[in-house]
Amino acid sequence: MEKRIYPPHIQKQKGQEEPLICLTAYTAHTAHYVDPHCDVVLVGDSVAMVVYGMESTLGADLDMMARHGKAVVGATNKACVVVDMPFGSYQESPEQAFRNAAYLMKETGAQAVKMEGGTELAATVNFLVRRGIPVMGHIGLLPQSVNTLGGYESRGKDSDEAKSIQHDAQSLEEAGVFAIVLEGTLEAVARRITAEVSVPVIGIGASPACDG
């Protein structure tokens, strides 16, 4: 049996020639098959859309994430399992975020949680990290903000937006995330952010310029 990968191991992979491999799984069956090939397995709140047929990720709740997270952790031996914090479970306050993140960690056995947001979330991230909860950041295209963003369009198209995403990455790095998911962001911006921050950047539709 292979040893479990933990967040510090992921953080140390920054800038390595071999890219990090991160895949999503919602069920024990899928997790069992992807585990040997992954550094990170993400239990995404996209489960609301993929499994339950909802129009967005906003319908995911803590019980849903706990249920699927527990199934994925139970079927893996190697990968670092990260569970998404669903919409509404962490935005209110650092204290709310800690309670719900601790619940997910205890219920699932996952190694970390992931939260969407940049500069405005930095204080919350730091609050969790200082209390023993590893956090993966998520910037660029934010599916939980689909209504305020006006859809799922790529991000970083103009200089102001690009600078804002860069600032988000720097803020999360300073707050203590062990890695950052960068979603739906133009390659030039992704390349710049990946070069600037000291933690791994995992791209979802953000080009091969990322660390994974």
Side-chain angles (χ1 to χ4, degrees):
M1 183 182 295
E2 294 193 68
K3 289 185 178 180
R4 177 75 71 179
I5 297 172
Y6 289 93
H9 304 145
I10 299 299
Q11 191 165 353
K12 289 178 182 177
Q13 292 302 306
K14 173 68 180 180
Q16 298 297 310
E17 185 175 343
E18 191 72 24
L20 284 162
I21 298 174
C22 175
L23 292 174
T24 299
Y26 313 115
T27 66
H29 180 77
T30 303
H32 171 75
Y33 284 104
V34 303
D35 180 47
H37 311 288
C38 292
D39 299 292
V40 176
V41 171
L42 173 67
V43 186
D45 58 358
S46 49
V47 66
M49 302 171 74
V50 177
V51 176
Y52 295 92
M54 299 179 186
E55 290 189 4
S56 73
T57 64
L58 301 182
D61 59 21
L62 282 168
D63 288 340
M64 184 185 294
M65 299 312 303
R67 186 163 57 247
H68 288 275
K70 187 173 183 178
V72 168
V73 171
T76 57
N77 297 307
K78 173 199 168 199
C80 177
V81 178
V82 181
V83 179
D84 261 341
M85 296 280 287
F87 179 71
S89 68
Y90 59 93
Q91 291 91 343
E92 183 180 331
S93 68
E95 291 78 11
Q96 180 212 29
F98 177 80
R99 284 194 302 273
N100 291 328
Y103 167 77
L104 282 180
M105 296 280 287
K106 288 191 289 186
E107 286 293 310
T108 66
Q111 285 70 60
V113 297
K114 180 171 75 64
M115 299 189 294
E116 293 184 18
T119 304
E120 77 286 354
L121 201 64
T124 297
V125 168
N126 188 251
F127 188 88
L128 267 61
V129 171
R130 286 189 290 112
R131 286 159 177 78
I133 296 180
V135 178
M136 176 181 281
H138 185 152
I139 58 175
L141 173 61
L142 305 177
Q144 291 182 7
S145 300
V146 60
N147 292 316
T148 54
L149 293 177
Y152 297 101
E153 294 183 4
S154 58
R155 312 296 293 169
K157 292 179 180 178
D158 61 63
S159 59
D160 287 343
E161 194 171 75
K163 288 177 183 176
S164 177
I165 299 171
Q166 284 179 256
H167 189 244
D168 285 340
Q170 292 163 356
S171 297
L172 291 180
E173 175 191 18
E174 292 170 5
V177 296
F178 70 91
I180 296 172
V181 165
L182 181 62
E183 182 168 359
T185 303
L186 298 190
E187 180 169 355
V189 182
R191 188 176 298 279
R192 197 174 306 126
I193 290 172
T194 302
E196 287 176 351
V197 299
S198 62
V199 297
V201 176
I202 298 171
I204 301 179
S207 86
C210 300
D211 295 298

